Amino acid sequence: MVEATKDRILMACNSLLREMPFERVTVSLIIKRSGVSKSTFYRYFLDKYDVLNYNYKRNLDRWIVSRKCKNWRELYYCIFSSSIKDKRREKNAYAVGGTNSYSQFLHDYSYQTIENMTVSCRGIPLTREEKLNLSLFCYGGIAVNEDWLKGELDYTVDEMTDLIFMAMPESMRYLWKQPK
């Protein structure tokens, strides 16, 4: 029941993002489109940013846990394929900048996911240099994805996947451990 309700809210938000930029999407519109009450919305999400970010988190976690992806390259393929399939929604999600932005969440959650996987595989924390390289990789990958969605980069999904995979810090690139 909880997941079904969260999914209804998420689908409503995604539907609205296919129609308008994120700045015009409001909690009231999401509530109306999803058919849930205001209290139900706030039981599951803090605000519209939380719904937007939940979409990425849910997809990323699902791809990793479901064993659909067996390495980073396969995960990047899922990310780019998903982005291009829902290009309008993704472009509208990227449209808002700042502290609470989609881009910032993508960086933070991607960084955390790669760091956790790396530490889990090798049993030691990232070095100072690896932390910097990972942050640069995450920011760069997100910016490249946004430019690609805008049509500023002429690459196929496979080409984008390979380029991003090869840009990943080498010390982390081949470390992958399925969660139990």
Side-chain angles (χ1 to χ4, degrees), residues 82-156:
S82 175
S83 290
I84 205 69
K85 283 179 189 167
D86 210 352
K87 187 176 181 176
R88 184 174 180 103
R89 189 200 74 77
E90 282 288 302
K91 283 172 65 174
N92 283 335
Y94 274 115
V96 175
T99 307
N100 225 2
S101 70
Y102 185 55
S103 295
Q104 186 62 51
F105 179 81
L106 294 179
H107 169 274
D108 295 348
Y109 199 73
S110 298
Y111 181 101
Q112 178 186 23
T113 300
I114 296 169
E115 179 182 37
N116 290 345
M117 185 84 75
T118 301
V119 170
S120 176
C121 285
R122 61 180 202 198
I124 59 171
L126 300 183
T127 65
R128 228 173 111 214
E129 183 179 273
E130 285 176 323
K131 288 179 180 183
L132 175 63
N133 288 333
L134 180 54
S135 189
L136 290 169
F137 169 72
C138 290
Y139 278 124
I142 292 157
V144 164
N145 187 34
E146 185 176 6
D147 290 347
W148 180 61
L149 290 169
K150 290 178 185 173
E152 296 172 9
L153 300 171
D154 185 27
Y155 292 101
T156 66

Side-chain angles (χ1 to χ4, degrees), residues 6-20:
K6 287 176 84 170
D7 284 348
R8 276 182 42 207
I9 295 167
L10 180 61
M11 288 188 308
C13 182
N14 285 340
S15 173
L16 290 163
L17 275 170
R18 289 180 193 105
E19 298 169 15
M20 64 187 74

Side-chain angles (χ1 to χ4, degrees), residues 29-82:
L29 286 172
I30 296 170
I31 289 169
K32 184 176 181 181
R33 179 78 51 103
S34 67
V36 301
S37 68
K38 188 174 182 178
S39 63
T40 297
F41 177 90
Y42 286 111
R43 182 176 308 128
Y44 299 114
F45 297 102
L46 299 172
D47 54 26
K48 70 179 190 173
Y49 297 93
D50 198 25
V51 180
L52 177 67
N53 297 338
Y54 173 73
N55 193 58
Y56 178 73
K57 180 186 181 312
R58 184 188 70 157
N59 285 336
L60 193 68
D61 292 349
R62 189 181 68 221
W63 291 325
I64 291 171
V65 172
S66 73
R67 299 181 179 357
K68 178 176 182 166
C69 302
K70 294 174 187 71
N71 56 52
W72 291 113
R73 191 204 176 280
E74 290 178 6
L75 180 63
Y76 299 141
Y77 182 84
C78 286
I79 292 169
F80 285 110
S81 295
S82 175

